[in-house]
Amino acid sequence: MSFQKIHCIALNGLEVFANHGYYPEEQLIGGKFKVDVKVETDFSSAAITDDLGATLNYESLFEIVSEEMKTPSKLLEHVGQRIVDRIALISVKIQRIEVKIEKLNPPFAAKIQSSSIGITYLKPNHAI
């Protein structure tokens, strides 16, 4: 029996305060957001050699998410796409990127835990 290796590096539940929202008051007041990032890549060499240079550094993912979340935007879709685009440039070994951004307690006339967007990037010619 043959197995295919899928390596995954992720940041789960990164909570940040940011000024995103369609309405001006949302950008002025800001709110809490939760970001999840999952990256499929080949870190076979790092698993064997214990070499950070042979894998994606969690810190790089954190810096990208933090920087993009600091840039106010009307739409989370726009923020998410910027995050995906920057992560895709890190390494040619990246096969898949998943980003989910949740707006915690969105301003509705009802109690809602969160609203969210999700983006999945698949490297061209990459089978699911």
Side-chain angles (χ1 to χ4, degrees), residues 16-33 69-70 72-73 103-107:
V16 297
F17 186 87
N19 297 80
H20 304 302
Y22 181 76
Y23 299 103
E25 58 270 16
E26 290 179 287
Q27 289 191 13
L28 182 66
I29 296 169
K32 288 185 181 179
F33 296 82
M69 290 300 290
K70 287 179 185 175
S73 297
K103 184 175 206 166
L104 305 178
N105 302 309

Side-chain angles (χ1 to χ4, degrees), residues 14 17-18 36 41 43 50 66 78 84 97-99 102 105 110 113:
L14 173 60
F17 186 87
D36 295 319
T41 187
F43 59 69
D50 203 23
S66 295
H78 185 63
V84 167
I97 302 167
E98 295 178 25
V99 172
E102 289 183 77
N105 302 309
Q113 183 178 353

Side-chain angles (χ1 to χ4, degrees), residues 6 10 36 40 47 69 74 83 89 102 108 113:
I6 299 174
D36 295 319
E40 289 181 11
M69 290 300 290
K74 291 180 183 177
I83 291 170
L89 295 174
E102 289 183 77
F108 290 105
Q113 183 178 353

Side-chain angles (χ1 to χ4, degrees), residues 27-99:
Q27 289 191 13
L28 182 66
I29 296 169
K32 288 185 181 179
F33 296 82
K34 185 170 87 169
V35 182
D36 295 319
V37 176
K38 180 179 175 183
V39 179
E40 289 181 11
T41 187
D42 180 2
F43 59 69
S44 300
S45 179
I48 294 167
T49 64
D50 203 23
D51 177 16
L52 181 60
T55 188
L56 293 181
N57 188 335
Y58 296 101
E59 190 174 345
S60 298
L61 297 178
F62 175 78
E63 288 172 4
I64 289 171
V65 172
S66 295
E67 288 172 10
E68 294 303 333
M69 290 300 290
K70 287 179 185 175
T71 303
S73 297
K74 291 180 183 177
L75 302 177
L76 294 181
E77 292 88 331
H78 185 63
V79 181
Q81 189 62 56
R82 291 194 321 255
I83 291 170
V84 167
D85 290 345
R86 286 191 55 196
I87 291 172
L89 295 174
I90 294 175
S91 171
V92 296
K93 293 182 181 181
I94 293 174
Q95 296 297 311
R96 180 183 180 111
I97 302 167
E98 295 178 25
V99 172

